[in-house]
Amino acid sequence: MREKTIDYALRATWMAVAKMYNEEAGKKGSTMATGFALLSIDPESGTPSTSLGPKMGMEATSLSRTLKTMEEKGLIFRKKNPQDGRGVLIYLTPFGIEMRNFSKEVVFTFDNMVRKHVPQEKLDIFLEVFQTINDLISSKKIYSKQESIKP
């Protein structure tokens, strides 16, 4: 079954990518989640904390822990949102910008290596398939009674 299901290929590949990113991030005392958060924060104008969770696909509790750790490490600071007194904007510190650049380099290195070894036509098909999977999931078509097909 391992070789036959799309789910297995997705999970196994993502687990390998996550492990690789965590190993690289660990060299600088960081994690993949922190790197992803750093890349999701606008380095110039900050980012509302409420938009980070959806942007990153993280639950609020996980995001809160990640942001707390990032603040403790001196990567970010929080300020009240002048547009919305109830909201908070997350900003990068100089160290946060440095680590953001490191995270960006890690992602680009991976991306460039894959592009070097996979022809553009295949990457285009790969991305199209992933977009179709995301569309099926977001439109709730996979487990609806009309479209659900059993093997």
Side-chain angles (χ1 to χ4, degrees):
M1 185 167 150
R2 286 182 182 162
E3 296 81 26
K4 294 183 181 180
T5 68
I6 295 164
D7 171 75
Y8 178 81
L10 287 170
R11 277 185 298 114
T13 302
W14 178 246
M15 288 173 69
V17 169
K19 182 177 182 215
M20 173 194 68
Y21 278 154
N22 274 315
E23 286 173 1
E24 286 304 303
K27 293 175 183 177
K28 294 262 192 172
S30 191
T31 65
M32 181 185 76
T34 296
F36 193 25
L38 290 168
L39 293 171
S40 300
I41 297 169
D42 186 306
E44 289 158 21
S45 55
T47 300
S49 58
T50 53
S51 72
L52 274 178
K55 198 179 210 181
M56 296 174 58
M58 280 180 93
E59 295 296 324
T61 52
S62 297
L63 180 61
S64 291
R65 270 192 307 258
T66 300
L67 292 176
K68 185 176 190 276
T69 301
M70 291 172 71
E71 200 166 22
E72 289 167 355
K73 289 185 174 186
L75 296 165
I76 62 167
F77 63 95
R78 303 170 200 235
K79 269 188 178 177
K80 282 192 174 193
N81 186 340
Q83 311 296 325
D84 174 7
R86 300 168 299 163
V88 174
L89 291 172
I90 308 292
Y91 291 92
L92 298 174
T93 64
F95 180 50
I97 291 171
E98 178 186 325
M99 290 300 287
R100 183 181 195 275
N101 291 335
F102 169 73
S103 297
K104 198 184 237 185
E105 185 59 37
V106 168
V107 170
F108 284 149
T109 299
F110 170 73
D111 200 66
N112 290 333
M113 185 60 73
V114 171
R115 290 179 185 282
K116 182 177 173 183
H117 291 276
V118 179
Q120 187 60 49
E121 317 82 66
K122 286 187 177 185
L123 278 175
D124 291 343
I125 292 167
F126 172 81
L127 294 173
E128 185 180 329
V129 169
F130 271 73
Q131 185 60 56
T132 300
I133 291 169
N134 277 315
D135 291 346
L136 288 168
I137 292 168
S138 66
S139 66
K140 309 237 186 257
K141 289 186 176 176
I142 294 177
Y143 295 107
S144 70
K145 290 183 182 174
Q146 292 91 1
E147 293 238 5
S148 187
I149 299 170
K150 293 186 179 178

